[in-house]
Amino acid sequence: GLRCRSGFKLAHMDEQLGWLRPGRAVLDLGAAPGAWSQEAARRVNATGALPGAPRGFVLGLDLLPVEPLDGVSFLGGTDVRAADTETKVRALLPGGAAHLVLSDMAPRASGVRALDHEQSLALCGAALALALVILRPGGHFLCKFWDGASSEELRARLRAAFRDVRALKPPASRRDSAELYLAASGLRAPRRP
Ligand code: SAM
């Protein structure tokens, strides 16, 4: 099913990134129907199934409601762009912060490629704004977008905030789609004035 195919994509990317380790706290944006959250929960040991390994935490957020999953907390009916989302997320994350922010959010496709591209970048911008205030220092950020004319601007913004940025195209994503992921690792400490 869809849950599985999507989860495989995250699994494949994490084989390269190695971010989802036991004990880590993950914020999963655009989490419905829940495949990424489920895969992340398994990898960070959110249910404590790996004996002797630190227990992680996964918070999934989506505009849509999400069916409950073992080891995952969900904020359904929540827009990442809403003014009170940061407060809600902070209240649920252990210590009010995350090691990883993942975004598989996608806008409703209009079919007009340039427009869909801009809207997907706008969602990445919203995900990044939340990540910058929710991530622990040294934390990591992954976001999906539809490639196009303004992709380089997002890349530049990520490069300014993180130590390393790379593009990933998981094999499970349709070859003809413009879908890409940017993986930004090592949030830099804010510059003091
Ligand atoms: N990663 C999910 C999984 O593995 O099951 C699939 C995510 S699906 C491709 C994209 C999701 O982004 C949709 O469920 C949609 O509701 C959500 N989304 C789009 N815009 C959003 C927004 N502004 N705030 C929160 N979620 C949003």
Side-chain angles (χ1 to χ4, degrees), residues 12 39 45 61 77-79 96 100 102 119 143 148 163-164 168 170:
H12 181 85
E39 184 64 23
N45 193 32
L61 177 156
T78 305
D79 191 327
L100 309 172
L102 313 175
Q119 290 190 341
C143 70
R163 282 193 288 274
D164 184 68
L168 299 171

Side-chain angles (χ1 to χ4, degrees), residues 48-74:
L50 300 171
R55 196 163 175 152
F57 183 89
V58 177
L59 174 61
L61 177 156
D62 206 288
L63 282 173
L64 302 174
V66 198
E67 294 291 317
L69 270 176
D70 226 22
V72 182
S73 303
F74 280 117

Side-chain angles (χ1 to χ4, degrees), residues 6 30-36 62-63 78-81 104-106 123 144:
S6 231
W36 278 33
D62 206 288
L63 282 173
T78 305
D79 191 327
V80 76
R81 297 162 300 192
D104 196 30
M105 287 190 294
L123 282 178
K144 172 168 80 181

